[in-house]
Amino acid sequence: MSDRLSVFKTYKLYVGGKFPRSESGRVYEVTDAKGKWLANAPQSSRKDARDAVVAARKAFGSWAGATAYNRGQVLYRVAEMLEGRRAQFVSEVADAEGLSKSKAAEQVDATIDRWVWYAGWTDKIAQVVGGGNPVAGPYFNLSSPEPTGVVAVLAPQESSFLGLVSVLAPVIATGNTAVLVASEKSPLPALSLGEVLATSDVPGGVVNVLSGRTSEIATTLASHQDVNAIDLAGADEILAKELEIAAADNLKRVLRPQPVDNWTETPGTDRMTAFLETKTVWHPTGSLGASGSSY
């Protein structure tokens, strides 16, 4: 009989394509649905949040400038890597949510399918929300969507994997970069997702994963002048109100939490369009010349 000791996993943050510990050195205990200790997760500080925003801003230009087809390939690659680590995520989701292995497997399979679903939308969303506009005059007018920028995403507290992917994938599918705040209660699937992203083709900084006290991290992100939008899916009613007030200082786009979010339902396009801006270009026709303008 082997007396070999188990090798406990050290969970770390994922910022700028690297795996730092919290700069504060803090950790907090993560337990399963029955209160049994699972791991120590890093407890992010305000500085960790600021570092994640810097990384996301640095990555934004090249990610937003990539072709939609290329972004779709990258998201599909993430799904491939998740498929290869399916057993690990089944175990983490079962522990986090108190599910049987079979139920957890259903959740993981739905999550992988969700990545594939959004991968397929990357080069189609512009056709749905953009196009030619009817105008009266000797010119034509075209509208096309552009990503908003750096988006802070608060992962749902209860749906540790399917929920977080349902709020993260649409943000990066449309060319934004993200700072993801993992579920405070069940952060391990999100932290493991960082490992998957690092071994996929997702450029460093496109997704940054923080764990810790949601209220502490989110308050910093909501008031940060270089964060363009925030998804409050993981905030309770009181915290959501506080964050909306903080976000108003620099006119962030705010996606408010819904009373009931059923993450198992097939999503629509709402979460993709929530963080898109519309660019309209007009161009004269006929003899008026070849110059055009945009606004």
Side-chain angles (χ1 to χ4, degrees):
M1 182 173 180
S2 174
D3 58 356
R4 179 176 177 271
L5 295 175
S6 299
V7 179
F8 289 105
K9 182 173 180 177
T10 302
Y11 287 89
K12 297 180 182 180
L13 307 176
Y14 182 57
V15 177
K18 299 179 180 179
F19 294 94
R21 293 178 170 87
S22 172
E23 62 85 27
S24 67
R26 298 178 300 171
V27 297
Y28 71 104
E29 290 188 357
V30 178
T31 59
D32 65 14
K34 297 181 179 178
K36 180 183 176 182
W37 181 86
L38 292 174
N40 289 332
Q43 186 173 332
S44 302
S45 67
R46 291 186 292 271
K47 185 178 185 302
D48 292 319
R50 293 194 295 269
D51 290 344
V53 174
V54 171
R57 177 59 62 191
K58 184 177 180 181
F60 174 68
S62 58
W63 183 245
T67 65
Y69 177 72
N70 178 246
R71 286 199 298 271
Q73 289 179 308
V74 171
L75 263 68
Y76 188 83
R77 174 64 174 165
V78 174
E80 288 180 344
M81 299 300 288
L82 285 174
E83 188 77 39
R85 297 178 65 164
R86 179 177 178 274
Q88 173 194 346
F89 283 99
V90 168
S91 178
E92 289 184 340
V93 170
D95 289 337
E97 301 182 27
L99 300 176
S100 65
K101 291 292 185 181
S102 61
K103 290 293 185 182
E106 291 177 7
Q107 289 287 315
V108 172
D109 289 344
T111 303
I112 296 170
D113 293 347
R114 187 64 44 88
W115 271 110
V116 175
W117 194 86
Y118 278 112
W121 266 103
T122 57
D123 59 355
K124 300 174 182 66
I125 189 66
Q127 302 169 54
V128 173
V129 299
N133 304 312
V135 294
Y139 52 90
F140 61 87
N141 186 301
L142 300 173
S143 292
S144 60
E146 292 187 343
T148 295
V150 175
V151 181
V153 181
L154 310 188
Q157 296 298 327
E158 299 304 323
S159 183
S160 64
F161 197 33
L162 178 57
L164 81 87
V165 166
S166 296
V167 296
L168 173 64
V171 169
I172 64 171
T174 48
N176 299 287
T177 53
V179 178
L180 175 70
V181 181
S183 164
E184 182 175 334
K185 176 176 170 256
S186 307
L188 303 188
L191 296 174
S192 292
L193 177 63
E195 298 172 2
V196 171
L197 298 172
T199 53
S200 303
D201 298 323
V202 181
V206 170
V207 178
N208 305 274
V209 183
L210 304 175
S211 61
R213 307 306 178 199
T214 299
S215 59
E216 179 182 358
I217 307 168
T219 301
T220 298
L221 295 173
S223 60
H224 199 298
Q225 297 292 306
D226 204 26
V227 173
N228 304 109
I230 185 167
D231 185 342
L232 302 178
D236 60 31
E237 185 177 350
I238 295 174
L239 179 59
K241 184 175 181 180
E242 293 174 356
L243 297 178
E244 281 193 65
I245 294 171
D249 189 45
N250 69 334
L251 299 178
K252 286 182 177 62
R253 280 181 173 263
V254 176
L255 184 59
R256 295 169 177 82
Q258 302 301 312
V260 178
D261 270 316
N262 186 352
W263 303 113
T264 61
E265 292 183 354
T266 302
T269 60
D270 291 353
R271 288 193 173 274
M272 287 184 283
T273 59
F275 303 120
L276 286 173
E277 310 291 340
T278 300
K279 177 181 179 181
T280 301
V281 177
W282 63 267
H283 199 292
T285 59
S287 61
L288 293 180
S291 62
S293 300
S294 65
Y295 60 89

